[in-house]
Amino acid sequence: MIHPRSHWNPNASLRPCFPSLDSWVPPPPGWIKINFDSSVKSGGIVGAGYIIRDHYTNFICCGGRRILTRVVPIAKKWAALEGLKAIQCDTPRTMGIWFEGDSMKILQLIFNELERNRDSHNQTGLQSYCLDHQQYGVVDRLFRGSNFTSRDPILANIVNILLSFAACRVSYIQRNNNSAADFLTHYATLGDFCWEIDMALPNDFCNILKMDVK
């Protein structure tokens, strides 16, 4: 079970800008961070992977799934959803969720639906974050909301889980700095798996985790 080491405090955790997204950075206290990705091998084999870490940079869990689709955007949405499903049951809703990937298209879809949910419920007073990387588009913001419906069932599940927590951030990271999630996607092309903190992990994966916190 994931336990918060501090209660989420919107005033304490907000900052005017994110740190540079040119490298992986840990979430603030009271938040957990999910990185996700997908990859396609020759022959159309698709793997979707995710990794979850806390503000101490501790690895919590990760997993991967072999996806029966050759459509990359669908695989990336599945990767995002799998990461959120992994925290849905055991994570206190008082925590914030920082959601990060290297697919601008998928992040923009999620961002747009979060915005639409906010507008449809006439919510005001939402705190926002400015971007360090304007060229990546507007995908960094804090959201709070209620249940959401969409014609895309995968996207609807993603947004509803995000909105069930105290707050969420959506951000873009360059592909070469999303290496932990990328490793997991390639591993997932071999079959479904889930790794937790008390399990023996591949050395290459452990080295990536060490590099992320240097």
Side-chain angles (χ1 to χ4, degrees), residues 13-202:
S13 60
L14 292 181
R15 299 177 183 176
C17 289
F18 277 130
S20 172
L21 298 182
D22 284 334
S23 61
W24 186 87
V25 293
W31 291 64
I32 58 175
K33 189 172 187 180
I34 303 172
N35 284 79
F36 68 94
D37 197 8
S38 70
S39 64
V40 181
K41 283 194 171 183
S42 58
I45 299 174
V46 178
Y50 64 88
I51 177 170
I52 303 168
R53 287 172 279 192
D54 66 15
H55 70 279
Y56 291 111
T57 73
N58 292 329
F59 162 76
I60 297 173
C61 69
C62 66
R65 180 176 176 184
R66 191 170 178 174
I67 305 296
L68 299 178
T69 180
R70 295 189 179 186
V71 182
V72 176
I74 292 178
K76 288 189 179 292
K77 283 189 286 186
W78 270 114
L81 180 58
E82 288 297 312
L84 287 169
K85 286 166 63 178
I87 64 166
Q88 187 177 16
C89 295
D90 295 333
T91 306
R93 291 304 190 267
T94 53
M95 296 192 76
I97 303 300
W98 187 344
F99 204 53
E100 188 171 80
D102 57 34
S103 172
M104 179 56 61
K105 181 176 181 179
I106 299 306
L107 292 170
Q108 192 68 62
L109 284 173
I110 296 170
F111 178 88
N112 290 342
E113 299 297 3
L114 287 166
E115 286 277 82
R116 187 162 72 86
N117 175 80
R118 182 193 66 172
D119 294 340
S120 67
H121 288 84
N122 298 315
Q123 297 177 66
T124 59
L126 294 178
Q127 302 289 342
S128 64
Y129 297 83
C130 63
L131 287 166
D132 286 340
H133 299 275
Q134 294 293 338
Q135 68 269 31
Y136 297 151
V138 183
V139 293
D140 290 335
R141 192 164 294 178
L142 173 73
F143 295 93
R144 302 174 73 181
S146 52
N147 287 341
F148 164 79
T149 57
S150 170
R151 287 171 292 185
D152 182 334
I154 304 175
L155 188 60
N157 278 325
I158 291 170
V159 172
N160 277 321
I161 295 173
L162 285 172
L163 291 174
S164 71
F165 289 90
C168 67
R169 293 176 175 179
V170 178
S171 67
Y172 173 87
I173 188 170
Q174 295 183 43
R175 182 176 297 276
N176 61 330
N177 293 310
N178 199 29
S179 52
D182 181 65
F183 178 94
L184 297 169
T185 67
H186 290 283
Y187 207 94
T189 60
L190 303 174
D192 299 357
F193 68 94
C194 181
W195 299 336
E196 297 182 349
I197 193 169
D198 57 349
M199 297 174 64
L201 304 174

